[in-house]
């Protein structure tokens, strides 16, 4: 059995989760026993165990019954609710997130991976609690279920599932109602003295997080032949079987945690895949024994004899999402090289990992390595690529496959980079693979090196290698990085002790040099970082990528520095922080001045993100990873109120840094000489002289419309709430409201505000919001919030026949606006409501920190 929690103890824990009194829940348990719903038993330690079926009964009683005395009747009524048929035309209640894809698929409702067909509400809820209790299926519930909804004022309940539909994330409501011959509960039946009390008859919602917490407190029987796994979809059942297999090992809990994390990685990856991406798929590249897909990216100005970088994604990621997170195409644009993105298919691996642990997929001329080699040959044949400058890199399973490629085809690759990976041939099969990532496998350098030398007939020279790993990585144990070093130091015939040790951007870097002084192996240890790649997102020349699951914003860019290690940065931009090397080589005064002038010119040319209407750009969202010493360079790009959106403060800072008077890469107040904010003083002086409008300075408007106009917005139905304590960071925020079905008005009603913005070559939108969309009137009423650019929806939330409330601020980041690049566009915020009867439907939105990176604001802020 999983747990041994008794009924009465379970009721106390359930009360804490639901925010109810323990006395209330204990009394409901007593009513369940006296009412014959559950068999009586002794109290205390001898009490019967709390099973998922028992938990479902008590949960329904607590959520559905307006008063304690109605607990038993509520359970008997609501547990027998039958699944309702889908409304005609597919208008089942749902909430949609994100813009619609132009070439949408068929208009059918997607199937959830959790199948509860034909079950009554009580049975379905018990089944979900079983899935949440079992280690092998808990991550599936977390990924698929949105929550449980019960209406006390009408015998209706629903299970809400999250799925992808027509290229958008959606929440679908599986509704349950009374059977045709069933009677409503007494408190809703006028014939039995039912009286409507609006104070009690409200709806109750239980989010999936709490349902999983409740499920973990229940006890499964020793008979694990429950049909719950049979109810799962094909893909999720395969994942569950992998988890069930792994649960038998000493690392079962770590595998479960990794599966849960991969669910969020997959959700972000799927979201990126529905948007425009920069990659092009290529077919017919060879026999493709590994059954992989081939994607490429070629900059518009690709030079002759360009290098080629092969980029391998991690588990549940895709080629497009890995490119989005890592920023490889951004660096390729800056420095002129081609990119190849092999992509795993779901039918090859249930987590879309590269199969680095299978003998048929980690040997030369077999499986996935051979497919990747064929893709490289296709690139060499179709494009003007320098055969001597082909490189390969990857993260996690992609990092493990990188070592496979370097060992299997060392003559193909001039270098590689392994991020959070494992040594070549560390495992034969899944079980050994799990042991390798969770525990590590130690061998001598000679043993590791022999595995590489045996993989091919190659005698050298060998590829150079960059190795990256976070020392707080719980998915792939950091010891694997040390074993990779031992393997490739031996292959290169080098001493195991590094030639040079230094700190770069605050992180330890070790270097192993060859006899001629060339750097053959480097290793970065990112202190405090969990699993994934190290990033430094931002607009500066040494920054790239997007923070996301497994892409950690820690103030150093692995993508940029790996490309530099390979020698791909012909025109190297200035780094945010100079490496702290022992005995640094002196720089000639003329070279120093030239580099300073270049940096000042670059700073003057680059405009930072534009924020509307008035708050600081680039603030880190809650929970964003990164150590305390991570770069705070984003703070230099606060551009609100600047003429034409130019970051005068940032330009002054960059110029002072170039002259050696101000340390770069950190917050000005902490790094300026004697702690004095020199750029701020200069900016303030310019403001006093009337040359520069003060940042964040606003004149109180005589009316809401005037306040909007002063902030650069125009429109109706929206207000600029000044100095509102409810704003995301205090201060001011935008508020929009639209309603339909009230005051004799039905049909579509919309309220919107707009402003003009000039975009640069790589614009991205971010903002924070809170929404209250109430469309729970019938299956056809709707409420929505949309963000549009030139009339094209770039972000959207629509509730159809449902209520969607965001009680906490939600940050939407990195909304890609590349299709509007280098244009002056109209940005629109819109709330809309539609009701077909005289019953109110409304949409409310609170929006703050609207920011477009890589833009020049031509509107008055």
């Amino acid at each position: 059995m999983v747990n041994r929690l008794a009924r009465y103890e379970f009721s106390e824990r359930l009360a804490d989760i639901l925010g109810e009194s323990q006395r209330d829940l204990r009394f409901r348990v007593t009513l369940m026993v006296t009412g014959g719903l559950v068999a009586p038993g002794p109290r205390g330690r001898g009490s019967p165990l709390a099973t998922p079926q028992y938990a479902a009964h008590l949960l329904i009683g607590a959520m559905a019954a307006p008063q304690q005395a109605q607990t038993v009747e509520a359970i008997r009524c609501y547990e027998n609710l039958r699944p309702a048929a889908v409304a005609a035309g597919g208008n089942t209640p749902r909430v949609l997130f994100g813009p619609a894809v132009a070439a949408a698929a068929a208009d059918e409702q997607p199937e959830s991976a959790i199948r509860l067909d034909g079950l009554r509400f009580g049975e379905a809820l018990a089944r979900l609690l079983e899935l949440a209790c079992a280690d092998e299926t808990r991550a599936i519930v977390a990924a698929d279920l949105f929550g449980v909804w019960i209406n006390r004022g009408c015998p209706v309940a629903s299970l809400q599932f999250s799925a992808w539909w027509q290229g958008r994330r959606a929440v679908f409501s599986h509704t349950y109602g009374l059977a045709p011959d069933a009677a409503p509960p007494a408190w809703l039946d006028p014939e039995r003295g039912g009286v409507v009390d609006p104070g009690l008859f409200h709806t109750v919602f239980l989010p999936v997080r709490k349902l999983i917490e409740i499920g973990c407190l229940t006890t499964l029987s020793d008979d694990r032949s429950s049909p719950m796994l049979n109810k799962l979809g094909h893909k999720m059942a395969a994942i569950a079987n992998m988890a069930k297999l792994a649960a038998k090992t000493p690392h079962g809990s770590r595998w479960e945690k990794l599966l849960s994390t991969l669910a969020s990685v997959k959700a972000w990856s799927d979201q990126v895949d529905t948007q425009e991406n920069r990659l092009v798929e290529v077919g017919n590249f060879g026999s493709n024994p590994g059954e992989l897909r081939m994607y490429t990216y070629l900059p518009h100005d690709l030079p002759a004899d360009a290098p080629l970088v092969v980029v391998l994604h991690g588990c549940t990621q895709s080629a497009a999402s890995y490119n989005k997170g890592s920023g490889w195409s951004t660096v390729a644009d800056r420095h002129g090289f081609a990119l190849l993105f092999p992509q795993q298919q779901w039918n090859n691996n249930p987590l879309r990992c590269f199969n680095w642990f299978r003998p048929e997929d980690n040997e030369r001329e077999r499986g996935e390595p051979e497919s990747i080699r064929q893709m490289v040959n296709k690139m060499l044949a179709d494009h003007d690529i320098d055969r001597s400058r082909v490189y390969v890199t990857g993260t996690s399973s992609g990092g493990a496959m990188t070592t496979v490629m370097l060992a299997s085809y060392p003559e193909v690759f001039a270098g590689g980079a392994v991020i959070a990976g494992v040594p070549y041939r560390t495992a034969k099969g899944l079980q050994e693979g799990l042991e390798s990532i969770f525990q590590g496998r130690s061998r001598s350098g000679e043993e590791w090196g022999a595995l590489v030398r045996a993989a091919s007939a190659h005698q050298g020279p060998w590829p150079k290698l960059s190795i990256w790993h976070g020392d707080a990585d719980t998915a792939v144990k950091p010891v694997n990085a040390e074993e990779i070093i031992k393997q490739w130091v031996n292959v290169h015939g080098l001493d195991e002790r590094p030639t040079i040790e230094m700190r770069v951007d605050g992180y330890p870097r070790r270097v192993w040099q060859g006899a001629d002084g060339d750097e053959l192996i480097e290793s970065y240890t990112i202190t405090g970082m969990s699993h994934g790649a190290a990033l430094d997102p931002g607009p500066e020349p040494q920054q790239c990528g997007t923070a996301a699951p497994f892409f950690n914003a820690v103030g150093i860019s692995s993508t940029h520095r790996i490309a530099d290690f390979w020698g791909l940065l012909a025109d190297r931009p200035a780094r945010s922080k100079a490496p702290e090397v022992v005995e640094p080589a002196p720089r000639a005064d003329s070279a120093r001045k030239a580099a300073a002038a270049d940096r000042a010119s670059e700073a003057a040319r680059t405009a930072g993100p534009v924020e509307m209407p008035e708050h600081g750009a680039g603030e880190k969202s809650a929970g964003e990873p990164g150590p305390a010493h991570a770069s705070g360079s984003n703070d230099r790009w606060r551009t609100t109120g600047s003429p034409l959106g130019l970051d005068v403060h940032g330009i002054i800072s960059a110029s002072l840094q170039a002259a050696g008077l101000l340390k770069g890469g950190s917050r000005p107040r902490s790094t300026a000489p004697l702690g004095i904010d020199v750029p701020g003083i200069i900016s303030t002086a310019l403001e006093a002289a009337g040359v520069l409008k003060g940042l964040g300075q606003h004149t109180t408007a005589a009316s809401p419309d005037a306040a909007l106009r002063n902030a650069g917005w125009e429109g109706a139905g929206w207000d600029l709430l000044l100095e509102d304590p409810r704003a995301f960071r205090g201060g001011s925020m935008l508020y929009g409201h639209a309603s339909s079905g009230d005051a004799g008005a039905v049909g579509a009603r919309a309220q919107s505000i707009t402003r003009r913005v000039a975009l640069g070559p790589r614009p991205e939108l971010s903002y924070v919001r809170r929404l209250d969309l109430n469309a729970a009137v019938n299956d056809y009423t709707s409420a929505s919030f949309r963000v549009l650019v030139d009339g094209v929806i770039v972000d959207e939330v629509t509730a159809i026949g449902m209520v969607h409330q965001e009680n906490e601020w939600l940050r939407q980041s990195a909304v890609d606006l590349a299709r509007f690049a280098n244009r002056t566009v109209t940005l629109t915020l819109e709330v809309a409501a539609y009701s077909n009867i005289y019953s109110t439907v409304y949409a409310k939105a609170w929006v703050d920190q609207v920011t477009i990176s890589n833009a020049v604001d031509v509107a008055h802020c």
Side-chain angles (χ1 to χ4, degrees), residues 68-422:
Q68 289 178 341
Q70 298 158 341
T71 298
V72 173
E73 187 172 10
I75 294 173
R76 285 176 172 157
C77 174
Y78 279 78
E79 74 168 342
N80 287 310
L81 297 181
R82 307 293 181 88
V86 176
N91 288 306
T92 182
R94 58 185 179 263
V95 178
L96 304 177
F97 300 87
V101 175
D107 192 26
E108 72 274 4
Q109 177 180 340
E111 293 186 0
S112 169
I114 301 176
R115 303 297 300 276
L116 302 170
D117 302 338
L119 298 182
R120 301 182 183 185
F121 179 67
E123 298 169 330
L125 186 58
R127 186 62 49 79
L128 288 173
L129 290 168
E130 286 183 11
L131 293 170
C133 179
D135 293 339
E136 60 265 36
T137 52
R138 190 173 302 133
I140 300 172
V141 177
D144 253 30
L145 186 67
F146 186 75
V148 180
W149 178 85
I150 288 180
N151 190 337
R152 290 179 173 178
C154 179
V156 175
S158 70
L159 300 175
Q160 297 174 358
F161 292 92
S162 177
W164 286 91
W165 181 72
Q166 293 190 349
R168 292 192 283 184
R169 188 167 67 89
V171 174
F172 283 82
S173 182
H174 293 200
T175 306
Y176 296 79
L178 283 176
D181 56 346
W187 73 83
L188 294 176
D189 189 351
E191 296 182 1
R192 291 187 287 169
V195 178
V196 175
D197 184 348
L200 295 176
F201 299 158
H202 56 270
T203 60
V204 181
F205 179 75
L206 183 74
V208 63
R209 172 181 57 83
K210 290 190 175 183
L211 183 132
I212 290 176
E213 192 174 351
I214 295 167
C216 290
L217 300 178
T218 61
T219 303
L220 293 174
S221 67
D222 290 323
D223 178 14
R224 302 304 299 274
S225 61
S226 168
M228 57 186 172
L229 289 182
N230 297 330
K231 295 291 183 180
L232 301 177
H234 172 72
K235 185 188 301 180
M236 287 302 182
I239 296 175
N241 288 333
M242 289 182 65
K244 187 175 181 180
L245 176 64
K248 298 178 181 179
T249 73
H251 311 290
S253 61
R254 297 182 68 179
W255 178 245
E256 177 195 345
K257 181 179 179 181
L258 178 58
L259 280 178
S260 179
T261 305
L262 287 172
S264 64
V265 177
K266 178 181 180 297
W268 183 80
S269 181
D270 289 346
Q271 180 182 6
V272 173
D273 288 344
T274 63
Q275 302 169 352
E276 286 189 20
N277 66 73
R278 315 183 78 189
L279 310 186
V280 176
E281 185 168 9
V282 177
N284 301 320
F285 54 84
S287 60
N288 191 18
E291 299 182 358
L292 304 179
R293 299 174 71 176
M294 174 181 176
Y295 291 86
T296 65
Y297 179 77
L298 302 173
H300 295 301
D301 54 349
L302 186 69
D305 290 328
L308 171 66
V309 178
V310 181
V311 184
L312 301 171
H313 63 78
C315 295
T316 70
Q317 295 173 330
S318 64
S321 66
Y322 190 85
N323 176 56
K324 178 77 171 179
S326 64
W328 269 107
S329 62
T330 300
V331 181
D333 282 336
R334 292 171 181 168
H335 301 284
F337 54 85
L339 295 172
L340 164 62
F341 292 85
Q343 179 174 293
Q344 181 63 280
Q345 299 199 67
W346 289 107
N347 58 356
N348 289 343
N349 184 290
L351 293 178
R352 200 153 69 178
C353 307
F354 287 103
N355 291 302
W356 54 271
F357 49 84
R358 300 197 314 184
E360 60 269 32
D361 285 308
N362 63 15
E363 295 181 358
R364 186 180 176 94
E365 298 180 352
R366 296 186 66 185
E368 293 171 12
E370 176 63 13
S371 292
I372 296 172
R373 185 194 67 83
Q374 291 176 0
M375 295 180 195
V376 172
N377 289 344
K378 176 72 171 174
M379 293 292 290
L380 294 173
D382 292 353
H383 307 285
D384 192 0
I385 302 295
D386 185 349
R387 291 176 177 268
S388 67
R389 292 197 295 167
V390 179
Y391 305 89
V392 59
T393 181
T395 298
S396 195
S397 74
M401 184 55 73
T402 295
T403 63
V404 171
M405 297 307 300
L406 293 174
S408 301
Y409 297 100
E411 77 281 5
V412 173
F413 300 101
V418 179
I419 304 173
V422 296

Side-chain angles (χ1 to χ4, degrees), residues 555-704:
I556 184 172
S557 171
S558 58
T559 301
H560 182 86
R561 294 200 175 274
I562 288 168
D564 194 6
F565 178 69
W566 292 336
L568 302 185
L569 308 187
D571 300 316
R572 292 178 173 82
R575 294 187 177 94
S576 60
K577 301 176 186 177
E580 303 166 11
V581 187
V582 177
E583 296 182 359
R587 177 184 291 178
D589 185 62
S590 60
R592 179 184 61 80
K593 291 180 180 179
D598 289 343
R599 290 196 296 269
S601 175
E602 177 66 23
R605 183 184 61 81
T606 306
V610 175
E611 179 170 334
M612 297 148 302
E614 59 181 356
H615 301 293
E619 293 207 36
K620 188 175 291 184
S621 60
E624 184 176 305
H629 59 267
S631 172
S633 59
N634 284 348
D635 289 349
R636 300 205 311 272
W637 302 96
R638 304 170 70 91
T639 65
T640 302
S642 302
L644 300 180
L646 293 178
D647 180 18
V648 178
H649 187 282
I651 294 171
I652 294 171
S653 299
S655 301
L656 292 173
Q657 293 165 22
L661 300 178
L662 180 65
K663 183 178 178 181
S666 301
R667 298 181 182 275
R669 294 189 183 275
S670 62
T671 60
L674 302 180
I676 300 173
D677 182 12
V678 178
I681 294 173
I682 298 175
S683 297
T684 303
L686 291 175
E687 294 169 20
V691 177
L692 174 66
K693 182 179 178 181
L695 302 183
Q697 301 294 323
H698 291 268
T699 302
T700 303
S703 68

